[in-house]
Amino acid sequence: MKIYLARRLAQALLVLLGVSFIVFFILYLTGDPALILLPPDASAEDVQKFREAMGFNDPFIVQYGRFFLGALRGDFGQSVRHGEPAFNLVIERMPATFELSGAALLVALCLAIPAGIVSAVRRNTVIDYVSTVVALLGQSMPTFWLGIMLILVFSVQFNLLPSSGRGTLEHLVLPAITLGLFTTARITRLTRSGMLEVLSQDYIRTARAKGVSGPPVVWKHALKNAAIPIVTITGLQFGTLLGGAVVTETVFAWPGIGRLAVQSIYNRDYPVVQCTVFLAAVMFIVINFAIDLIYGFLDPRIRSH
């Protein structure tokens, strides 16, 4: 188990190193930061002094090394717009993103797992066809369109729920549904396919031949053995929700890191953009590492791979 954990941890650190390099390199290609950060009327001498003071004249690898070492300490520099550490700004927005992503994942699991199980058990019936069509529709609808439609219906037309902001549970309903429905479709399809594969195994047929009734076979035997792919997609989707809630947070004016990143891009506040992307990648890596740990406990055979 120790060797398994060490191998997974080494892989996570390599991914983190690669993500940090890509984040820095892409923003490095956007142009001279001095011309972006200084006022338009700055003289050539002021620009040159600013480059020297900020280290922008150093070679690329030196700048990247300084960025990576600073990132490990939580030092991403000062926000150009807000005048305070970029790390503090992002950390302040983290709880809102965790709240939205957690609620969206809860919505997805409450809808997807029962729907996937029923579709597998009632294969090729009307329930199965309806569930499949709904899952495909959920994956096909753009998030921004679904969010706008929900606002028009429940906020504008019926005035039942608030259309933006964060505060009460009512503010969370529409963005959580918007973000969760896309994830629901994926988990439903994977749950259905995993259950179908398990239900066709010999030990399931043996249990039924011994007189074990339907529900115990499904919940005790089939679902337990189909849990690994469901755990996989759930963990990956939670990481995706944390880092990919940009559109939903923007549509509903939800004060999370996704909306902060969009605003920072518009304001050319690159330290905040770098911090947001880096921390989102860290969260995704941590979640994947946790999934690997769960794998090792669910199926000891995985530890040897």
Coordinates of all heavy atoms in Angstrom, one line a residue, residues 89-100 164-167 171-172 175 245-246 248-261 263:
L89 N -7.2 36.8 -2.4 CA -8.5 37.0 -3.1 C -9.1 35.7 -3.6 O -10.3 35.6 -3.5 CB -8.2 37.9 -4.4 CG -7.9 39.4 -4.2 CD1 -7.5 40.0 -5.5 CD2 -9.2 40.0 -3.7
V90 N -8.3 34.8 -4.0 CA -8.8 33.5 -4.5 C -9.3 32.7 -3.3 O -10.4 32.1 -3.4 CB -7.7 32.7 -5.3 CG1 -8.2 31.4 -5.7 CG2 -7.3 33.6 -6.5
I91 N -8.6 32.7 -2.2 CA -9.0 31.9 -1.1 C -10.3 32.4 -0.5 O -11.2 31.6 -0.1 CB -7.9 31.9 0.0 CG1 -6.7 31.1 -0.4 CG2 -8.5 31.4 1.3 CD1 -6.9 29.7 -0.7
E92 N -10.6 33.7 -0.6 CA -11.8 34.3 -0.1 C -13.0 33.8 -1.0 O -14.1 33.6 -0.5 CB -11.8 35.8 -0.2 CG -10.9 36.4 0.9 CD -10.8 37.9 0.7 OE1 -11.4 38.4 -0.3 OE2 -10.1 38.6 1.5
R93 N -12.8 33.5 -2.3 CA -13.8 33.0 -3.1 C -14.0 31.5 -3.1 O -15.0 31.0 -3.7 CB -13.5 33.5 -4.6 CG -13.4 35.0 -4.8 CD -14.6 35.7 -4.5 NE -14.5 37.1 -4.9 CZ -14.9 37.7 -6.0 NH1 -15.4 36.9 -7.0 NH2 -14.7 39.0 -6.3
M94 N -13.1 30.8 -2.5 CA -13.1 29.3 -2.6 C -14.4 28.7 -1.9 O -15.0 27.8 -2.5 CB -11.9 28.7 -1.8 CG -10.6 28.7 -2.7 SD -10.6 27.4 -3.9 CE -9.0 27.6 -4.5
P95 N -14.8 29.2 -0.7 CA -16.0 28.6 -0.1 C -17.2 28.7 -1.0 O -18.0 27.8 -1.0 CB -16.2 29.5 1.2 CG -14.8 30.0 1.5 CD -14.2 30.2 0.2
A96 N -17.4 29.8 -1.8 CA -18.6 29.9 -2.6 C -18.5 28.9 -3.7 O -19.6 28.3 -4.1 CB -18.6 31.3 -3.2
T97 N -17.3 28.6 -4.3 CA -17.2 27.6 -5.4 C -17.4 26.2 -4.8 O -18.1 25.4 -5.4 CB -15.8 27.7 -6.0 OG1 -15.7 29.0 -6.6 CG2 -15.7 26.7 -7.1
F98 N -16.9 25.9 -3.6 CA -17.1 24.6 -3.0 C -18.6 24.4 -2.7 O -19.1 23.3 -2.9 CB -16.3 24.5 -1.7 CG -14.9 24.0 -1.9 CD1 -13.8 24.8 -1.9 CD2 -14.7 22.6 -2.1 CE1 -12.5 24.3 -2.1 CE2 -13.4 22.1 -2.3 CZ -12.3 23.0 -2.3
E99 N -19.2 25.5 -2.2 CA -20.7 25.3 -1.9 C -21.5 25.0 -3.2 O -22.3 24.1 -3.2 CB -21.1 26.7 -1.3 CG -22.6 26.7 -0.9 CD -23.1 28.0 -0.4 OE1 -22.2 28.8 0.1 OE2 -24.3 28.3 -0.5
L100 N -21.2 25.8 -4.2 CA -22.0 25.5 -5.5 C -21.6 24.2 -6.1 O -22.6 23.4 -6.5 CB -21.6 26.6 -6.5 CG -22.2 26.5 -7.9 CD1 -23.7 26.4 -7.8 CD2 -21.8 27.6 -8.8
S164 N -29.7 35.9 -9.1 CA -28.3 36.1 -8.9 C -27.9 36.3 -7.5 O -28.8 36.4 -6.6 CB -27.9 37.3 -9.7 OG -28.5 38.5 -9.2
G165 N -26.6 36.3 -7.2 CA -26.1 36.5 -5.9 C -26.0 35.2 -5.1 O -26.4 34.1 -5.5
R166 N -25.5 35.4 -3.9 CA -25.3 34.3 -2.9 C -25.7 34.8 -1.5 O -25.4 35.9 -1.1 CB -23.8 33.9 -2.9 CG -23.5 32.8 -1.9 CD -22.0 32.5 -1.9 NE -21.6 31.4 -0.9 CZ -20.7 31.6 0.0 NH1 -20.0 32.7 0.0 NH2 -20.4 30.6 0.9
G167 N -26.3 33.9 -0.8 CA -26.8 34.3 0.5 C -27.6 33.2 1.2 O -27.1 32.4 2.0
H171 N -30.9 31.2 -3.2 CA -29.9 31.6 -4.1 C -29.2 30.5 -4.8 O -28.7 30.6 -5.9 CB -28.9 32.6 -3.5 CG -29.5 33.9 -3.2 ND1 -30.2 34.2 -2.0 CD2 -29.6 35.1 -3.9 CE1 -30.6 35.5 -2.0 NE2 -30.2 36.0 -3.1
L172 N -29.1 29.4 -4.0 CA -28.3 28.2 -4.5 C -29.0 27.3 -5.4 O -28.4 26.6 -6.2 CB -27.8 27.4 -3.2 CG -26.9 26.2 -3.5 CD1 -25.6 26.7 -4.1 CD2 -26.6 25.6 -2.1
P175 N -28.5 27.9 -9.7 CA -27.2 27.6 -10.1 C -26.8 26.1 -9.9 O -26.1 25.5 -10.7 CB -26.2 28.5 -9.4 CG -27.0 29.1 -8.3 CD -28.5 29.0 -8.7
A245 N -16.8 25.8 -13.2 CA -18.1 26.4 -13.0 C -18.1 27.9 -13.4 O -18.9 28.7 -13.0 CB -18.4 26.4 -11.5
V246 N -17.2 28.2 -14.4 CA -17.1 29.6 -14.8 C -18.3 30.1 -15.4 O -18.8 31.2 -15.0 CB -15.9 29.7 -15.8 CG1 -15.8 31.1 -16.4 CG2 -14.6 29.3 -15.2
T248 N -21.5 29.0 -15.2 CA -22.6 29.1 -14.2 C -22.4 30.3 -13.3 O -23.4 31.0 -13.0 CB -22.7 27.8 -13.5 OG1 -22.9 26.7 -14.4 CG2 -23.9 27.8 -12.5
E249 N -21.2 30.4 -12.8 CA -21.0 31.5 -11.8 C -21.2 32.9 -12.5 O -21.6 33.8 -11.9 CB -19.6 31.4 -11.2 CG -19.4 30.2 -10.3 CD -18.0 30.2 -9.7 OE1 -17.2 31.0 -10.0 OE2 -17.8 29.3 -8.8
T250 N -20.8 33.0 -13.8 CA -21.0 34.2 -14.5 C -22.5 34.5 -14.7 O -22.9 35.7 -14.6 CB -20.2 34.2 -15.8 OG1 -18.8 33.9 -15.6 CG2 -20.4 35.5 -16.6
V251 N -23.2 33.5 -15.2 CA -24.6 33.7 -15.5 C -25.4 34.1 -14.2 O -26.3 35.0 -14.3 CB -25.3 32.4 -16.1 CG1 -26.8 32.5 -16.1 CG2 -24.7 32.2 -17.4
F252 N -25.1 33.5 -13.1 CA -25.9 33.8 -11.9 C -25.1 34.8 -10.9 O -25.6 34.9 -9.8 CB -26.1 32.5 -11.1 CG -27.1 31.6 -11.8 CD1 -26.6 30.5 -12.6 CD2 -28.5 31.7 -11.7 CE1 -27.5 29.7 -13.3 CE2 -29.4 30.9 -12.3 CZ -28.9 29.9 -13.1
A253 N -24.1 35.4 -11.4 CA -23.3 36.4 -10.6 C -22.9 35.7 -9.3 O -23.0 36.4 -8.2 CB -24.1 37.7 -10.4
W254 N -22.5 34.5 -9.3 CA -22.1 33.7 -8.1 C -20.7 34.1 -7.8 O -19.8 33.9 -8.6 CB -22.3 32.2 -8.3 CG -22.1 31.4 -7.1 CD1 -20.9 30.8 -6.7 CD2 -23.1 31.1 -6.1 NE1 -21.1 30.1 -5.5 CE2 -22.4 30.3 -5.1 CE3 -24.4 31.4 -6.0 CZ2 -23.1 29.8 -4.0 CZ3 -25.1 30.9 -4.9 CH2 -24.4 30.1 -3.9
P255 N -20.4 34.6 -6.6 CA -19.0 35.1 -6.3 C -18.0 34.0 -6.0 O -17.4 33.9 -4.9 CB -19.3 35.9 -5.0 CG -20.4 35.3 -4.3 CD -21.3 34.7 -5.4
G256 N -17.7 33.1 -7.0 CA -16.7 32.1 -6.8 C -15.5 32.4 -7.6 O -15.3 33.4 -8.2
I257 N -14.6 31.4 -7.6 CA -13.3 31.6 -8.3 C -13.4 31.7 -9.8 O -12.6 32.3 -10.5 CB -12.3 30.5 -7.9 CG1 -12.7 29.1 -8.3 CG2 -12.0 30.6 -6.4 CD1 -11.7 28.1 -8.1
G258 N -14.5 31.0 -10.4 CA -14.7 31.0 -11.8 C -15.0 32.5 -12.3 O -14.4 33.0 -13.2
R259 N -15.9 33.1 -11.6 CA -16.3 34.5 -11.9 C -15.1 35.4 -11.7 O -14.9 36.4 -12.4 CB -17.5 34.9 -11.1 CG -18.1 36.3 -11.5 CD -19.5 36.4 -10.9 NE -20.0 37.7 -11.3 CZ -20.1 38.8 -10.4 NH1 -19.7 38.6 -9.2 NH2 -20.6 39.9 -10.8
L260 N -14.4 35.2 -10.6 CA -13.2 36.0 -10.3 C -12.2 35.9 -11.5 O -11.6 36.9 -11.9 CB -12.6 35.5 -9.0 CG -11.2 36.2 -8.6 CD1 -11.5 37.7 -8.4 CD2 -10.6 35.6 -7.4
A261 N -12.0 34.7 -12.0 CA -11.0 34.5 -13.1 C -11.5 35.2 -14.3 O -10.6 35.9 -15.0 CB -10.9 33.0 -13.4
Q263 N -13.4 37.9 -14.5 CA -13.2 39.4 -14.2 C -11.7 39.7 -14.3 O -11.4 40.8 -14.8 CB -13.8 39.7 -12.9 CG -15.3 39.6 -12.8 CD -15.8 39.8 -11.4 OE1 -15.1 39.6 -10.4 NE2 -17.1 40.2 -11.3

